[in-house]
Amino acid sequence: MRSPLEPLYRASLWLAGLFMIALLATIILSILGRQFDFYIRGIDSYAGYFMAAASFLALAGTLAKGDHIRVTLVISRFTGKSRRGLELFCLILAIAISGAFAFYTVKMAWWSYKFNDISTANDATPLWIPQIGMALGTVIFCIAFIEEFVLVLRGKKLDGQSAEIAHTE
């Protein structure tokens, strides 16, 4: 069954890939700058911004594809209703944590925009701009956990999960 949210996850992964390419470009420019004696102001900061955006935007897509590292040492020992209950409990906990993280990263980006918070590095970038990637990534990550919870609640995810977990671990 294909997820109706799959286009969102795919777009998030594509954005993460574009930020990885941007990260590579900034690193290459930084190396070339050292070799040919030129300096691009704030290039190190931008590399950090691109890396953070790529990392956070890739979270939901990798979760949806089953590529996140899962600790199954405890869950794999249970079967039937107890395993499903433990899985649901873990997903509720993940939704709560990722939801709080999403809420506060969006709030942080909003306050940075509202108060015109500027980077203290020599790039002087308004901080809400690089924070958008992190906020967007955490919101989509929380959505992915909610979808996972609904799938397990409906009984559509748990049975076929063991082969996929073994594949990724």
Side-chain angles (χ1 to χ4, degrees):
M1 180 179 109
R2 299 189 102 195
S3 166
L5 294 170
E6 191 174 317
L8 176 66
Y9 303 147
R10 194 176 317 118
S12 182
L13 286 172
W14 272 96
L15 274 174
L18 290 174
F19 278 110
M20 288 293 286
I21 292 169
L23 173 62
L24 175 66
T26 56
I27 291 170
I28 289 171
L29 277 172
S30 181
I31 291 169
L32 289 173
R34 282 193 293 271
Q35 295 299 317
F36 297 109
D37 202 28
F38 68 88
Y39 178 71
I40 299 173
R41 192 171 86 139
I43 195 144
D44 294 334
S45 296
Y46 282 103
Y49 301 152
F50 295 149
M51 184 170 49
S55 300
F56 282 95
L57 286 167
L59 289 173
T62 53
L63 176 69
K65 288 179 180 260
D67 290 338
H68 268 250
I69 297 172
R70 296 174 48 112
V71 180
T72 57
L73 185 63
V74 176
I75 293 177
S76 65
R77 295 185 186 272
F78 292 89
T79 59
K81 288 183 181 183
S82 58
R83 178 175 175 166
R84 184 172 181 264
L86 187 58
E87 184 78 23
L88 287 171
F89 172 76
C90 290
L91 286 169
I92 288 170
L93 194 61
I95 290 168
I97 293 169
S98 65
F101 198 35
F103 175 79
Y104 285 108
T105 55
V106 169
K107 186 176 178 180
M108 177 181 63
W110 171 250
W111 282 105
S112 292
Y113 172 77
K114 188 173 180 178
F115 292 114
N116 198 26
D117 197 10
I118 304 294
S119 169
T120 57
N122 60 1
D123 63 321
T125 300
L127 285 177
W128 66 270
I129 296 172
Q131 290 170 352
I132 286 174
M134 186 170 122
L136 184 62
T138 56
V139 167
I140 298 171
F141 190 46
C142 184
I143 290 169
F145 272 123
I146 293 169
E147 181 190 32
E148 188 87 7
F149 175 76
V150 169
L151 289 173
V152 172
L153 197 61
R154 290 182 175 173
K156 296 184 179 179
K157 192 74 171 183
L158 208 55
D159 296 333
Q161 222 171 34
S162 58
E164 193 170 321
I165 291 170
H167 170 60
T168 58
E169 289 180 355

